[in-house]
């Protein structure tokens, strides 16, 4: 049995007459990175706000370690650090001063922790700068530092890589992985960037139009969506014959005129293309593909809408 750290059951939130979250349940395993994915407007932030007791659900509840967030907010949310929407800082204070204020505000006396978290997010040598001089990536790291300052068991990040440049994205990804793997923090991230979630998440919850379409582990997505080689030729029929008879490849299918997908990966793309060319078949393109989270997402959301 999996041990769930966080469970959301039958959550519903309505604004005016519209259900922006409609009877959604979610299950976060202790110690994992959970990606709440889906397009803008899917209801991800609303879910996280209900989890953080910032928004009251019309129905349903969240529990953390079996205790209701809606009934026991203080007790449960002490275990949580979060960044929701744009993090606010005092721009004319330094990063360190902002963290000191946070400690005071939270009634957390352990100022030594500030050095540790600044080191963790690689801001230690610039902690004397005013926040107004920080880049977006630095502010995001400072926000994570603030969220983990009181040593939470759970970290909740709403769209943490929005607005970051590629270097910033890599840094935040590494930081999240380190907090999860080395410090054992359970992480929930919401994002509409599927390629990034594919690199980070252990499990994804796919949301669309206020509904939870599916919760699935990335491992299952990869197993169900094995890699294959796709070849575009000028003669699929003859190419099929070569694959079968000459290369002894049995698992392939012709999906349209000229396009073949090969599921038996015992021969490399290079071996296949040179065999085809040897028999005079034109190869327009050949590439290895993996049905990634992106493909899975479109497949499942289309099916659910059909
Ligand atoms: P996501 O985080 O997936 O982009 P949100 O949870 O932010 O989605 O929003 C879901 C829907 O709920 C959107 O259509 C949004 O406009 C609407 N919504 C969110 N908050 C409010 C609010 N306070 N009042 C009215 N509508 C809201």
């Amino acid at each position: 049995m999996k041990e769930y750290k966080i469970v959301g059951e039958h959550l519903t939130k309505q604004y005016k007459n519209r259900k922006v979250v409609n009877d959604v349940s979610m299950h976060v395993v202790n110690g994992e990175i959970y990606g709440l994915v889906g397009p803008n407007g899917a209801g991800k932030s609303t879910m996280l706000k209900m989890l953080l007791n910032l928004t009251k659900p019309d129905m349903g509840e969240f529990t953390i370690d079996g205790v209701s967030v809606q009934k026991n907010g203080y007790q449960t949310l002490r275990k949580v650090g979060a960044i929701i929407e744009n993090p606010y800082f005092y721009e004319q204070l330094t990063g360190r001063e902002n963290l000191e204020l946070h400690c005071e505000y939270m009634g957390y006396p352990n100022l030594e922790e500030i050095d540790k978290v600044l080191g963790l997010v690689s801001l230690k040598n610039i902690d004397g700068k005013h926040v107004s001089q920080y880049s977006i990536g630095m502010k995001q790291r400072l926000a994570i530092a603030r969220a983990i300052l009181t040593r939470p068991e759970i970290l909740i990040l709403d769209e943490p890589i929005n607005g970051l440049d590629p270097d910033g994205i890599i840094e935040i990804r590494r930081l999240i992985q380190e907090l999860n793997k080395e410090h054992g923090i359970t992480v929930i991230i919401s994002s509409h960037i599927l390629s990034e979630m594919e690199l980070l998440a252990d499990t994804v919850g796919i949301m669309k139009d206020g509904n939870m379409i599916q919760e699935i582990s990335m491992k299952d997505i990869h197993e169900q969506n094995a890699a294959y080689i796709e070849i575009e030729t000028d003669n699929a029929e003859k190419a099929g014959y070569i694959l079968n008879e000459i290369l002894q490849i049995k698992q392939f299918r012709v999906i349209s005129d000229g396009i073949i997908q090969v599921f038996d990966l015992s021969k490399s793309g290079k071996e296949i293309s040179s065999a085809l060319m040897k028999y005079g078949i034109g190869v327009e393109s050949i590439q290895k593909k993996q049905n990634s989270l992106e493909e899975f997402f479109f497949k499942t959301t289309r099916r659910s809408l059909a």
Side-chain angles (χ1 to χ4, degrees):
M1 258 280 280
K2 279 183 179 164
E3 187 196 339
Y4 293 122
K5 186 83 181 159
I6 300 160
V7 175
E9 283 193 287
H10 303 294
L11 287 142
T12 297
K13 182 72 195 176
Q14 190 162 327
Y15 286 117
K16 301 227 170 86
N17 291 327
R18 201 162 67 90
K19 283 185 179 158
V20 299
V21 169
N22 184 13
D23 195 16
V24 170
S25 295
M26 67 183 264
H27 306 81
V28 181
V29 176
N30 191 20
E32 75 170 4
I33 299 180
Y34 184 101
L36 197 56
V37 304
N40 288 331
K44 307 182 298 293
S45 294
T46 306
M47 279 296 281
L48 297 185
K49 284 183 193 156
M50 290 191 284
L51 168 56
L52 291 166
N53 228 357
L54 297 171
T55 296
K56 192 173 167 322
D58 294 315
M59 271 193 303
E61 69 171 358
F62 270 105
T63 56
I64 294 177
D65 292 326
V67 179
S68 165
V69 172
Q70 274 66 38
K71 293 194 193 106
N72 294 292
Y74 179 71
Q75 181 192 348
T76 47
L77 295 173
R78 263 192 329 184
K79 299 179 179 177
V80 179
I83 307 179
I84 220 99
E85 286 166 352
N86 286 333
Y88 180 81
F89 293 106
Y90 295 98
E91 300 271 328
Q92 294 312 317
L93 298 182
T94 66
R96 177 180 290 275
E97 285 165 345
N98 268 279
L99 297 186
E100 283 169 0
L101 265 181
H102 184 70
C103 277
E104 208 172 298
Y105 171 73
M106 296 291 286
Y108 188 79
N110 196 351
L111 289 183
E112 280 153 33
E113 203 65 31
I114 292 178
D115 271 325
K116 264 193 226 153
V117 293
L118 282 171
L120 239 153
V121 301
S122 314
L123 283 179
K124 206 158 180 184
N125 48 3
I126 40 161
D127 60 339
K129 257 192 189 181
H130 286 171
V131 170
S132 57
Q133 293 167 294
Y134 279 24
S135 67
I136 298 176
M138 286 158 70
K139 277 189 189 167
Q140 197 63 346
R141 281 186 279 148
L142 186 62
I144 292 180
R146 186 166 64 185
I148 59 173
L149 194 52
T150 51
R151 295 179 156 265
E153 296 167 29
I154 299 163
L155 181 60
I156 295 172
L157 306 169
D158 191 17
E159 299 277 2
I161 55 170
N162 266 8
L164 297 184
D165 61 19
D167 284 346
I169 291 177
I170 293 171
E171 277 177 26
I172 295 292
R173 187 196 307 144
R174 285 206 189 119
L175 176 58
I176 293 170
Q177 283 167 332
E178 185 180 339
L179 292 171
N180 171 251
K181 297 276 156 342
E182 282 163 39
H183 300 261
I185 300 180
T186 304
V187 183
I188 301 183
I189 309 174
S190 79
S191 181
H192 65 283
I193 305 168
L194 298 173
S195 54
E196 192 54 35
M197 282 302 100
E198 175 146 26
L199 295 175
L200 267 173
D202 298 301
T203 296
V204 289
I206 299 175
M207 285 191 73
K208 191 160 190 223
D209 300 333
N211 298 301
M212 179 66 85
I213 309 290
Q214 194 172 355
E215 287 186 293
I216 182 168
S217 72
M218 283 307 304
K219 188 165 157 276
D220 284 349
I221 290 184
H222 286 139
E223 272 169 18
Q224 281 177 29
N225 297 272
Y228 59 94
I229 292 171
E230 191 166 282
I231 313 163
E232 204 180 336
T233 73
D234 58 5
N235 189 339
E237 200 186 331
K238 195 166 163 198
Y241 178 83
I242 308 289
L243 288 175
N244 199 2
E245 299 297 324
I246 309 290
L247 293 171
Q248 299 295 319
I249 290 174
K250 306 295 174 197
Q251 289 166 285
F252 67 88
R253 66 173 181 184
V254 178
I255 58 162
S256 72
D257 216 20
I259 296 186
I260 301 181
Q261 291 179 338
V262 178
F263 301 100
D264 170 352
L265 299 182
S266 58
K267 299 277 189 297
S268 69
K270 201 170 150 197
E271 283 172 287
I272 294 174
S273 71
S274 45
L276 294 179
M277 285 194 279
K278 192 169 146 199
Y279 288 89
I281 298 167
V283 176
E284 313 273 335
S285 71
I286 182 158
Q287 50 183 318
K288 190 160 174 191
K289 290 194 167 186
Q290 173 106 37
N291 273 348
S292 59
L293 177 58
E294 206 159 315
E295 271 184 58
F296 184 81
F297 175 80
F298 288 114
K299 224 165 52 186
T300 46
T301 51
R302 251 200 316 268
R303 198 166 53 217
S304 77
L305 296 174

